[in-house]
Each structure stands twice: as structure tokens, then as C-alpha cells.
């Protein structure tokens, strides 16, 4: 079995974050997002199972998905080192620049945002 490309751990930004377990080159796919769990009135979030709105993503067309593990722990940065790229309709987290092993992987939530949510930023970036 291959070593994991990322690990989840305590984040200085908020809660848990995703950290590079190895170096990534700019443009490299870090991981594929699991967007298979759509949140609907018939399939609501189940807090008793640890499902929370902060672990969801708002996609085009009003679709809301509960992100899988570990991608649900991708934190926001105003100067992110990664971005979400859709390849054949599937979201992938890709390196925006070179990322060193041990560095927290971050994304700008507003770039691909379709929801009405507002977040308080704690990334610490000058941007």
C-alpha cells in the first residue's frame, strides 16, 4: 500500500487541516475529492455521525455535497497553495505552487463559491 500523500492534523488556521506528507510540484493533483454524498431534504446532515455544514461544499446549480475525508478538513487561505480543479466533473485538489512536506494545504473558498455562506478568515495572510 502506498504512503498517504496527505495527513490530517491540528491547524493554526482552524480546527483540523490537511498537511502534505510529501513534496508537491505546482500543477500536481494532490487528491481527488469525494463529492458522492449529496445533502438533500431526504438525505440531511447527521450531526450524530459527525456530519456538519462546515464539511460541505456548495456546487453549481444549488447542489450541496458533504466532502469526504480528508478533504473536508481543507482550510481557507486568502493566499492559498492549492485550488479545486474540476476534471470530467470531479473535483481535484491541485497544487497552485510548490508545496513542501509538512506544509498545510489551503484553498481560497471564494474562488469557486456558489453558496451564500460567509466565513470569518483566520488564515493570517496579508491578502
Amino acid at each position: 500500500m502506498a504512503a498517504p500523500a496527505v495527513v490530517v492534523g491540528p491547524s493554526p488556521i482552524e480546527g483540523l487541516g490537511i498537511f502534505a506528507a510529501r513534496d508537491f510540484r505546482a500543477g500536481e493533483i494532490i487528491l481527488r475529492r469525494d463529492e458522492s454524498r449529496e445533502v438533500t431534504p431526504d438525505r440531511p446532515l447527521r450531526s450524530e455521525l459527525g456530519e456538519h455544514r462546515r464539511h460541505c461544499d456548495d456546487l453549481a446549480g444549488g447542489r450541496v455535497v458533504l466532502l469526504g475525508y480528508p478533504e473536508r478538513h481543507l482550510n481557507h487561505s486568502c493566499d492559498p497553495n492549492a485550488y479545486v480543479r474540476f476534471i470530467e466533473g470531479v473535483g481535484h485538489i491541485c497544487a497552485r505552487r510548490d508545496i513542501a512536506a509538512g506544509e498545510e494545504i489551503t484553498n481560497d473558498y471564494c474562488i469557486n463559491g456558489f453558496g451564500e455562506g460567509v466565513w470569518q478568515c483566520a488564515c493570517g495572510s496579508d491578502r
Side-chain angles (χ1 to χ4, degrees), residues 24 47 67 77 80 93 107 115-116 125:
F24 290 95
S47 60
L67 296 172
S77 174
I93 299 170
N107 177 45
E116 297 178 12
S125 168

Side-chain angles (χ1 to χ4, degrees), residues 28-81:
E28 187 176 354
I29 293 174
I30 298 168
L31 60 95
R32 177 184 172 158
R33 296 187 346 160
D34 177 358
E35 301 168 352
S36 62
R37 168 75 160 79
E38 189 166 359
V39 179
T40 66
D42 294 339
R43 296 186 66 201
L45 292 172
R46 298 167 295 181
S47 60
E48 70 276 9
L49 298 179
E51 297 177 352
H52 301 286
R53 183 65 175 99
R54 69 181 178 272
H55 296 148
C56 293
D57 196 5
D58 296 282
L59 302 178
R63 190 168 166 240
V64 177
V65 294
L66 175 68
L67 296 172
Y69 183 90
E71 57 272 19
R72 68 177 50 174
H73 297 295
L74 182 66
N75 280 322
H76 166 82
S77 174
C78 296
D79 188 17
N81 57 14

Side-chain angles (χ1 to χ4, degrees), residues 76-83 96-97 106-111 121-127:
H76 166 82
S77 174
C78 296
D79 188 17
N81 57 14
Y83 64 97
R96 183 173 158 246
R97 59 168 175 76
T106 58
N107 177 45
D108 183 344
Y109 289 171
C110 297
I111 287 177
C121 182
C123 74
S125 168
D126 291 338
R127 292 183 62 199

